[in-house]
Amino acid sequence: MTLLSWLSTGSLPAYEAGIIVGIIAPLLGIFLVTRRYSYLADTLAHVSLAGAAISLITGMSLILSALCVSILAAVSVEEIRYRRRVFGESALVIFLSGGLAVAAVLLSLAEKNDFDLESLLFGNIENINSGEVAIIVMLGAVVLATVILLFKELVSISLDEEMAEAGGLPVRILNLVFVILAAIMVSVSIRVVGVLLIGALMVIPVSAAIQLRTGFKKTLFIAIGISLFSVVTGLLVSDFLAISSGGTIVLVALGIFLLSLLIKHE
Amino acid sequence: MSQNPIAIEADHVSFRFGPRTVLDNVSAAVPEGEYVGIVGPNGGGKTTLLRIILGLIVPTSGKILVFGKDPKIARRGGTIGYVSQKMSEKGFVFPATVGEIVRSGRTPRIGIGKRFSGIDISACDWALELVGASDMKSRIFGSLSGGEQQKVLIAKALAREPRILILDEPTTGVDTLSQEQFFGLLRKLNKELNLTILFVTHDVETITRQAGFILELNQKILCHCAAHEFLSEETLNRLYGGEAEMRHHHMHK
């Protein structure tokens, strides 16, 4: 199958969704990685499974259902972290396990035999419909616009949260906005790479770009380049070989990351 | 003390963490343009006092005013520059040029959604020049030595043109020669810009040579006096609770 025939057989929505996720995943991922908060993406992704289960029971859109649950979890995790009731990483594990537990119970209650758990876990971008792409485009635009608007503040907080707060930045509000953006990112990525691989797409391209040891903006652009290359190549390869799209995308990104480790610095 | 306006005023400030009293009824005033070294044993409340001044935590009782205002209001727009030792640990992997690091220090003055103007860029260049790091602007922060990183972090704090500079053990892990240059820079900033400096350190002898005043803190203020009056074996024994011995360092030039 050629690229043209692939595009004409109805995979264009997959391509569009993949590109949007490929751009916004490292856009948020760079802040997660530099703040050593990468596990947040994984936690929200697991929590979004509960959203998927709710969508199954109620018939609500998968992306919107996952979005509501992820935002609720993201804000709760941030509040717990802010109030220092438990350590930050403990809060993440609590929500990750809690989300999975809720999803397991709801899925067992739903008792639907046609439920495709594998596509939720590992992505199923081929069957994405134009309605879902429209939601992904809209939410992706919200994330992109917000990050552009708050870019310098988010960089400041990533460098040192305390220094940023001492300087007078509204760190608490900015943190809340950021975790909500991460929740949006997770919900739009479910169809593309699946809940188990979302974190990888946010973290691996950024980690590879960091190996080049360049400035923040350059690192971000390189990470977006790696992410887009991984998504497009992953989609093409998975389509040709009829293998999991999410897994292939992440494997391409992982390959680039391993190559980046070969770069030597003085 | 000078007749300058009061930059920082602590009025019967106490801070308790659970059953533990960290600060107990601390009152002090720091006029603008003073260089104050804050010394005391671990757990004596030095960092807690700084965090209250920075508006990061609220005292259990009493109040602190920065230029007559609550710290959370006073710090808006970048009145206070803050340098801690934490960034140095993260700095080795953080993907940013020196220019980007310094610009992030200017961010609080600009406003959300606004871009860096020519004035902002000039202020960042001025801060880099002041600390003698203009030639490092395009270098990667993580590739710098500990001393160079501290210079850049001071430039970052200065980029917002603060009236107060607060430093929390910023010379930890920095070699002796870099420390001397670092202290020289602070003296210059204090004299030329009339910058109020609060410097927390364990290095009592060095800070006594550098600062104008010493504030000795161990839950309470034990001494708030001119630096030259402070250093003695008696004060060291009181500070660290043991048989302290005076050793004189030689300056390397």
Side-chain angles (χ1 to χ4, degrees):
Chain A
M1 188 187 287
T2 63
L3 178 61
L4 275 177
S5 63
W6 172 70
L7 290 173
S8 64
T9 53
S11 294
L12 191 58
Y15 189 79
E16 290 168 348
I19 297 244
I20 291 159
V21 170
I23 292 170
I24 62 171
L27 190 65
L28 293 174
I30 195 164
F31 298 109
L32 286 178
V33 170
T34 53
R35 297 179 72 174
R36 299 181 186 178
Y37 207 29
S38 304
Y39 212 43
L40 176 70
D42 231 17
T43 298
L44 295 181
H46 283 77
V47 169
S48 69
L49 258 184
I54 291 170
S55 133
L56 193 69
I57 291 169
T58 61
M60 192 178 168
S61 151
L62 167 68
I63 294 174
L64 292 181
S65 175
L67 178 69
C68 296
V69 175
S70 302
I71 288 179
L72 189 67
V75 172
S76 306
V77 167
E78 182 53 29
E79 274 300 298
I80 289 175
R81 190 184 77 96
Y82 175 77
R83 293 178 193 281
R84 299 184 185 190
R85 298 297 296 263
V86 293
F87 291 117
E89 66 269 28
S90 305
L92 294 176
V93 171
I94 290 166
F95 274 84
L96 187 150
S97 331
L100 273 181
V102 170
V105 169
L106 289 179
L107 288 174
S108 67
L109 287 174
E111 290 178 347
K112 288 201 176 179
N113 296 328
D114 58 342
F115 178 63
D116 185 4
L117 184 63
E118 193 181 323
S119 72
L120 265 184
L121 296 179
F122 302 108
N124 185 10
I125 197 169
E126 293 83 4
N127 295 333
I128 201 162
N129 60 51
S130 54
E132 286 174 316
V133 172
I135 296 174
I136 291 175
V137 169
M138 202 177 64
L139 293 175
V142 169
V143 172
L144 187 65
T146 312
V147 171
I148 289 171
L149 189 75
L150 302 177
F151 188 78
K152 65 182 187 310
E153 284 77 15
L154 292 175
V155 172
S156 216
I157 291 173
S158 300
L159 264 167
D160 192 315
E161 197 171 309
E162 260 191 7
M163 280 197 205
E165 191 176 358
L169 286 182
V171 169
R172 197 175 170 201
I173 295 169
L174 289 165
N175 277 337
L176 276 173
V177 170
F178 179 72
V179 294
I180 289 171
L181 294 179
I184 294 173
M185 165 65 211
V186 163
S187 56
V188 302
S189 306
I190 288 180
R191 294 290 253 144
V192 180
V193 285
V195 295
L196 294 184
L197 300 172
I198 290 168
L201 202 55
M202 293 177 91
V203 171
I204 296 173
V206 174
S207 301
I210 283 176
Q211 303 309 315
L212 296 172
R213 290 205 190 165
T214 183
F216 197 89
K217 276 188 182 168
K218 274 190 190 169
T219 302
L220 175 59
F221 287 127
I222 293 166
I224 290 174
I226 293 171
S227 173
L228 282 174
F229 178 81
S230 306
V231 168
V232 174
T233 310
L235 280 175
L236 283 168
V237 171
S238 65
D239 203 30
F240 275 118
L241 302 177
I243 51 177
S244 157
S245 56
T248 313
I249 291 169
V250 173
L251 281 177
V252 174
L254 207 54
I256 297 170
F257 172 70
L258 291 174
L259 283 176
S260 75
L261 291 179
L262 298 176
I263 296 169
K264 287 197 165 39
H265 300 280
E266 285 177 15
Chain B
M1 291 268 177
S2 69
Q3 298 303 307
N4 288 342
I6 300 298
I8 300 163
E9 186 175 10
D11 184 13
H12 299 94
V13 170
S14 294
F15 187 84
R16 279 180 267 286
F17 190 74
R20 196 167 81 87
T21 300
V22 183
L23 290 174
D24 185 14
N25 207 22
V26 168
S27 292
V30 176
E32 185 170 25
E34 290 295 352
Y35 185 164
V36 180
I38 302 177
V39 298
N42 283 332
K46 305 184 297 292
T47 299
T48 301
L49 181 62
L50 289 195
R51 289 171 62 79
I52 294 173
I53 294 168
L54 290 163
L56 297 173
I57 53 174
V58 179
T60 313
S61 62
K63 65 178 176 183
I64 278 200
L65 297 175
V66 176
F67 290 112
K69 295 175 187 163
D70 181 88
K72 284 189 178 178
I73 295 167
R75 72 186 184 187
R76 283 181 199 158
T79 304
I80 306 172
Y82 174 47
V83 181
S84 72
Q85 56 174 299
K86 267 201 314 188
M87 179 59 199
S88 301
E89 298 162 14
K90 198 178 186 181
F92 290 104
V93 287
F94 197 90
T97 61
V98 166
E100 286 174 323
I101 297 269
V102 175
R103 272 202 298 279
S104 80
R106 181 77 181 176
T107 297
R109 273 194 79 131
I110 299 173
I112 288 172
K114 292 182 182 163
R115 301 182 66 153
F116 289 95
S117 67
I119 294 170
D120 298 317
I121 307 272
S122 299
C124 295
D125 290 343
W126 163 81
L128 274 171
E129 196 182 323
L130 208 60
V131 302
S134 295
D135 56 334
M136 297 177 196
K137 195 175 172 182
S138 53
R139 287 177 65 187
I140 299 302
F141 185 72
S143 70
L144 305 179
S145 69
E148 288 171 328
Q149 286 194 348
Q150 285 301 14
K151 271 187 184 180
V152 173
L153 290 181
I154 292 189
K156 175 178 179 258
L158 292 174
R160 65 181 63 146
E161 300 172 74
R163 295 172 72 185
I164 299 170
L165 185 62
I166 293 179
L167 306 106
D168 190 2
E169 299 189 48
T171 50
T172 306
V174 178
D175 64 77
T176 312
L177 185 62
S178 298
Q179 280 192 35
E180 290 300 338
Q181 290 171 345
F182 180 76
F183 282 117
L185 170 64
L186 290 183
R187 273 198 307 273
K188 181 175 143 188
L189 294 171
N190 175 240
K191 296 230 180 312
E192 292 180 9
L193 303 179
N194 196 33
L195 192 65
T196 308
I197 296 176
L198 294 192
F199 193 118
V200 163
T201 181
H202 282 289
D203 189 349
V204 178
E205 192 182 348
T206 303
I207 198 63
T208 310
R209 281 203 316 269
Q210 303 294 334
F213 288 85
I214 299 293
L215 199 146
E216 182 192 350
L217 194 64
N218 189 3
Q219 293 182 1
K220 294 167 180 284
I221 290 181
L222 301 181
C223 175
H224 187 188
C225 58
H228 62 86
E229 294 169 4
F230 179 73
L231 197 59
S232 68
E233 287 189 12
E234 186 190 329
T235 52
L236 286 177
N237 283 334
R238 189 174 70 226
L239 257 174
Y240 296 104
E243 289 298 310
E245 183 185 347
M246 295 273 288
R247 292 184 185 194
H248 297 281
H249 297 289
H250 297 283
M251 300 264 285
H252 297 281
K253 291 189 177 177

